[in-house]
Amino acid sequence: MAGKLTDEERQEIAGRVLETYTSDQQARSGWMQQHAFWIKLYFLQDVPKTPPWPDSSTEGIPILAEAVNQFSARAYKALFPSRTFIKAVPIGKPDPKSKERAERVSNHMSWQLTARDRTYIKNKSRLLHALPLHGSFFTKTYYSPYKQRPVIENVRPADLVIPYGIGSRDLEDIERKTHVVFLSANKCARMTEDGYFIGDSTPIGMDEVEWNPVTKAHDDAQKTPPNDTRKYDQLCLKLEQHMLFDLDKDGIAEPYIATVDYQSRQLNRLSIRYEVDELGNPTNDKEPIEYFTHYQFLDNPDGFYGLGFGHLLAPINTAVNKLLRQTIDAGTLSTVGNMSGFVSKRLALPKDKLELTMGEFTAVAASTDDIKSGIFQFEFPGPNAALRDMLTILTQRADRLATVTEAVTGQTDKVQQPTALLALIEQSLQVFSSIYQRIAGSLGDELQKVFNINGKFMSPEEYFSVQDDDGSVIGKHAFRDDYAPDLQVMPIADPQMSTERQKLARAEAEWNFLSTNQLVLQSPSHYLNASRRFLKAIGSESIDEVLPSFDQGGDGMREDDPTKEGFIIVFSDVAPRVFPEQDHMAHIQFHQDLLDKVQGLSEVQIARLRRHLESHKQIMFFVQKMGGARQGAGQPGAPMAPQSSMAPAVAQSVDANGMMGQDQPMGGESSVAAGQMQ
């Protein structure tokens, strides 16, 4: 819209953006200095303000860094437990079609944000590392016409300038937000050529803009020299302000996005920030579209920005570093300082300074009595015990506040029972569980923005591929119509299960319950599902290679007559289901006779018969084993399921693999039936 405005209108908007940005930036100058100090403290670069002597102690204890690193590592595993971390659910009463759409959306968005966008997971890892330090972090979600897909960018709190306000406020309720964006001069020229920008984009100089103190703290801590020569890497500073402006002069301000070049002070771009229909008419009463998502570590009841470890641990970490440096300096004085002092000039020593050489004697004109009275030696007592005690108290309280106790970090010195240790971990992570839930809520808001973008800008049909649990790649399709408003998306995260120990404990408890439940033991399919869930929970790979599978196909029908079941398997495309209480021996004998004596069966029929035969063998073996386990040790054998009236009275044996013994008699009614089929 900027190209359609007059010069006076463009100058008015640009002047307002620059004025409000400068005012908002000055209002939070103290906030910026505070965060810059936290960065120095994180990198142990907080030097003493008044050092006692040159090159005195500057060491510190990384309390803040340890707390941030521990939280980041645990939060990443809790929020991204697997490749598919997005779940779509229908709003209202679900039906088969909506469930199918929801599954396609879940798979497509997971692929979109992991395989197609290679930076999404990396940016989330960076976010989870910066969030506990600063207390707040932001992401910006929008559709990129250049990349033809949704883009989610990390936005540092130092780069999103918010006007000062009193009380807790939501990001959506703040009418003015200024995003500080640095773009290369070459990219600005390309965007101007493509019609995205108008006007000039002038590179900035080191002396022409007040650099961010947070960025400067990063550069100082990492020993990065300032780039004061921008001959080949020129940067332009853009102020992208999400604002309300009364452009049509009707007394009501509408939401816009104005981009102003800081150096040239020109308006480069102006776009609307509300929804329109296909004809361009405003919808939803010009409700502003929110591009940013606010991630908070701890809620701030009296302000906009969240609270982090910088607020909680920085004062304690500063005090601990001071006590540590005093202790080290006191030890240095007691070691080196005691070897120094004053020498009287009456001794007439050859030099003003007396240096001792180990293993040598120095000849002097003065007597030993004169030397004793003419030399004064310092006697520094060394570190005070009170300093060490206070240092211990502060570090212990800081560990408790940061929840980096020995039990959580896996470095317990005492031997404890697993249940007691898990209880300690659970209690210590209660605070973090609420933080994970808060982060998961912000992540859900961000995913919903991506969902809405796909519903507007995605191609009508998009092909993608996903990796199955067994490692195989499956090709699928997603459609723009799948992103209808009757679905909502949310992250698949379990804030309560933030450690592998907790997940393993829950998996073991679930397995103990299912493996002793009689209802589950009566159903091989449910027992198999319980086994699969347990192996998946403990992180086993290639589960299909270690767990058997049996044919549970068909439409749920049951056929106890082996002859009729054989005809169904051979002459139809489906096979009846196998049930535990069937006469498996009769079915096994008949199907084996079909394979051995009936000629002219196709490969498909033979494969279907063998698969069904193996199902009967496996379930019969399962029933025998479970029956033996229920009888107890020392019992003669497992009771078999009720026998069918057609079952032949023959004894059978099953080996450890569920296969029939080779010495069993084959014949009887099953042979007659096989001959009739022949």
Side-chain angles (χ1 to χ4, degrees), residues 415-422:
V415 178
Q416 298 180 356
Q417 294 294 330
T419 54
L421 183 60
L422 288 174

Side-chain angles (χ1 to χ4, degrees), residues 416-443:
Q416 298 180 356
Q417 294 294 330
T419 54
L421 183 60
L422 288 174
L424 289 176
I425 296 175
E426 181 181 359
Q427 290 298 321
S428 62
L429 295 180
Q430 287 297 322
V431 176
F432 284 161
S433 297
S434 61
I435 298 176
Y436 297 151
Q437 291 177 350
R438 192 177 302 110
I439 297 176
S442 299
L443 181 60

Side-chain angles (χ1 to χ4, degrees), residues 512-524:
N512 291 334
F513 169 75
L514 294 176
S515 61
T516 57
N517 190 293
Q518 296 298 327
L519 296 176
V520 178
L521 295 178
Q522 294 294 333
S523 174

